Amino acid sequence: MVPHLVTALTGPINELEQRVLESMPAIERWFRLEWMEHTPPFYTSVDIRNAGYKLAPVDTNLYPGGFNNLTPQMLPLAVQAAMAAIEKICPEAKNLLLIPEKHTRNGFYLQNVQRLMQIFTLAGLNVRLGSLDEGLTAPTDLPLPDGGHLTLEPLLRTPRRLGLKNFDPCTILLNNDLSAGVPEVLKGLHEQYLLPPLHAGWAVRRKTRHFEAYEEVAKKFAKLLGMDPWLINPLFTQCGEVDWNDGSGMDCVQTQVDALLSKIRRKHKEYGINEKPFVVVKADNGTYGMGIMTVRDAKELDEVNRRTKNKMATVKDGQPVTQVIIQEGVPTYERMNDAVAEPVVYMIDRYVVGGFYRVHAARGVDENLNAPGSSFVPLAFADSPQLPRPGERPGASAPNRFYMYGVIGRLAMLAAAYELEATDPDAETFD
């Protein structure tokens, strides 16, 4: 089913869509050449914003936790992509150990784990679940909303390998983003493939590095298409030493917010855009929609209330926020039943396998939608991302729009590949 959307599909976005469709052979060749040089992350999800005047990724997740929100029709695509990924890494693989988040009582998240197990089982692997919870000492059944259950087992570590009782995997897949740090049990596994690598976790990863890499990718892609990279790239800056509780470092945040708003105003003037610009201040590490605030004027930061400070001071697993990324706010003009919506694209290896709209009836066009109260409507990616319809009027075809979302998602995934190469502790050289 293609969701009914009322979207501002005018001006630059229509021109961008037309240019992307006309350049499809060149775009696909360009991606092929990039993937000859770079290794895609094992799996990725990308939050995209369609402002009508620009289309840009605003967040890239290397431990996606929403596979349950994809349609059953996407399974063949996902299984094929999983097979391709595993064949590249460990062709002789028989066993896959999947390590989920510790808070595994959440029914929706467990359905995501169930879907991942289904994908890799259908790809020809024996899949079992291991827990990073040291308090788990025996196999434990976790009930699923559909009446089934998942069995979570304690990890068994030997000097050089990690597995379960009577289960020795070739590959270990993390669906835990390591926000709380890297557990000892995952260190020093030189005989097995650990995916994603440890430096992809939020203990090491920073959004600033990702968007630096994305800026590089966007410039290359824009040069290929002969367009302004700003149309697909959110401007950003950062502040490195911030304490939300005692207020230190807030002068940096105010100065950078002011400077970034000025840059956005100049771009708006260049394109005749009448939108009031805004920025989004985010924790430079972390996910789950935590540590995020929208700012329209630097003066607003003088009056940040205690509740907002508390919200900004820590992210998942109680990790303190000392670094922030200040990102150009990209409003979303996608609608579903009068609620604000944004597309999220899911990929395994280098392939788009599905996606959904994140919908939030209580949020505005300039607010974070990854918050309690959001709902999810699957995108019909299985039939459409690789099958655009050239020649149709821009904005008239859902498949063409989904193809464009897939291109932006793949650009962000390529940026993640650049980012992981640059931060690889085992690499011989750094960029």
Side-chain angles (χ1 to χ4, degrees):
M1 177 191 122
V2 178
H4 173 67
L5 288 168
V6 181
T7 317
L9 302 179
T10 56
I13 278 294
N14 278 354
E15 292 163 29
L16 176 61
E17 181 181 313
Q18 193 158 2
R19 191 165 294 192
V20 165
L21 290 169
E22 287 169 355
S23 309
M24 199 177 91
I27 289 170
E28 294 305 327
R29 177 177 180 273
W30 182 81
F31 273 121
R32 282 197 301 275
L33 294 175
E34 286 288 332
W35 294 129
M36 287 173 70
E37 300 289 327
H38 305 282
T39 303
F42 190 79
Y43 53 7
T44 317
S45 70
V46 180
D47 296 357
I48 296 173
R49 288 285 188 122
N50 184 350
Y53 55 84
K54 78 183 288 177
L55 182 72
V58 293
D59 202 22
T60 301
N61 189 355
L62 300 183
Y63 300 85
F67 279 92
N68 55 306
N69 296 317
L70 307 184
T71 63
Q73 287 83 356
M74 70 93 219
L75 264 178
L77 275 178
V79 170
Q80 280 187 311
M83 283 177 168
I86 292 291
E87 279 168 21
K88 278 196 307 194
I89 296 154
C90 185
E92 71 279 11
K94 288 190 302 183
N95 298 334
L96 177 82
L97 174 61
L98 177 57
I99 299 180
E101 293 282 359
K102 278 189 186 179
H103 62 270
T104 43
R105 300 286 166 180
N106 180 308
F108 296 114
Y109 178 72
L110 289 176
Q111 287 176 310
N112 157 73
V113 175
Q114 180 187 35
R115 178 60 66 84
L116 280 170
M117 292 184 75
Q118 182 185 21
I119 290 167
F120 290 102
T121 299
L122 290 171
L125 295 166
N126 302 311
V127 187
R128 282 164 65 177
L129 293 178
S131 174
L132 286 172
D133 184 353
E134 293 173 0
L136 189 88
T137 56
T140 302
D141 284 350
L142 301 174
L144 289 164
D146 65 4
H149 71 272
L150 297 175
T151 301
L152 197 59
E153 301 179 63
L155 295 172
L156 190 65
R157 177 67 199 250
T158 60
R160 301 184 65 85
R161 296 180 77 83
L162 180 67
L164 308 173
K165 187 178 179 182
N166 302 321
F167 188 76
D168 184 35
C170 160
T171 304
I172 299 159
L173 178 61
L174 291 175
N175 199 241
N176 180 314
D177 61 24
L178 307 181
S179 291
V182 178
E184 286 298 317
V185 74
L186 296 178
K187 294 178 181 175
L189 294 172
H190 302 302
E191 293 182 356
Q192 290 162 298
Y193 294 94
L194 183 65
L195 302 166
L198 292 177
H199 65 283
W202 286 119
V204 177
R205 192 175 177 232
R206 295 294 177 267
K207 291 174 186 174
T208 305
R209 283 199 207 107
H210 174 72
F211 281 100
E212 282 170 356
Y214 183 79
E215 188 170 42
E216 184 184 344
V217 167
K219 282 178 179 172
K220 285 185 183 179
F221 184 79
K223 187 176 179 184
L224 175 77
L225 265 65
M227 56 177 262
D228 181 353
W230 179 76
L231 295 172
I232 57 169
N233 181 36
L235 302 173
F236 73 95
T237 182
Q238 71 178 122
C239 285
E241 294 295 331
V242 179
D243 189 316
W244 290 93
N245 292 315
D246 70 11
S248 59
M250 291 305 293
D251 52 340
C252 171
V253 179
Q254 282 187 303
T255 302
Q256 296 294 352
V257 164
D258 210 31
L260 192 55
L261 285 169
S262 296
K263 276 188 186 175
I264 301 166
R265 279 188 208 101
R266 284 198 292 276
K267 294 305 289 189
H268 282 196
K269 189 174 180 185
E270 181 185 335
Y271 283 94
I273 296 161
N274 295 320
E275 298 281 338
K276 182 176 171 64
F278 66 97
V279 299
V280 181
V281 181
K282 305 181 187 179
D284 209 5
N285 62 319
T287 181
Y288 280 41
M290 300 172 79
I292 297 176
M293 66 185 293
T294 300
V295 182
R296 296 164 194 82
D297 189 316
K299 293 190 183 75
E300 292 172 22
L301 293 164
D302 287 331
E303 296 146 23
V304 175
N305 62 33
R306 171 53 53 191
R307 187 176 169 210
T308 302
K309 283 181 181 174
N310 289 341
K311 185 183 83 170
M312 294 298 296
T314 57
V315 287
K316 188 182 160 202
D317 292 330
Q319 295 302 300
V321 176
T322 57
Q323 298 170 300
V324 296
I325 180 170
I326 300 153
Q327 193 176 58
E328 175 185 0
V330 183
T332 177
Y333 286 108
E334 309 248 29
R335 288 285 187 288
M336 191 170 298
N337 302 327
D338 296 327
V340 176
E342 67 185 6
V344 184
V345 177
Y346 269 60
M347 291 157 286
I348 296 177
D349 195 60
R350 60 193 178 94
Y351 304 102
V352 174
V353 298
F356 53 82
Y357 276 100
R358 182 183 286 122
V359 183
H360 206 305
R363 292 285 172 119
V365 297
D366 58 356
E367 292 184 289
N368 167 42
L369 304 189
N370 187 6
S374 59
S375 58
F376 306 94
V377 178
L379 281 165
F381 261 119
D383 305 317
S384 54
Q386 304 299 339
L387 299 172
R389 299 171 187 168
E392 289 199 6
R393 181 171 54 83
S397 165
N400 287 353
R401 181 54 40 86
F402 293 170
Y403 176 73
M404 198 159 69
Y405 291 159
V407 167
I408 299 298
R410 287 185 287 163
L411 290 175
M413 174 173 55
L414 179 59
Y418 282 31
E419 172 197 359
L420 291 178
E421 286 167 18
T423 55
D424 185 352
D426 298 323
E428 292 180 12
T429 57
F430 285 80
D431 292 341

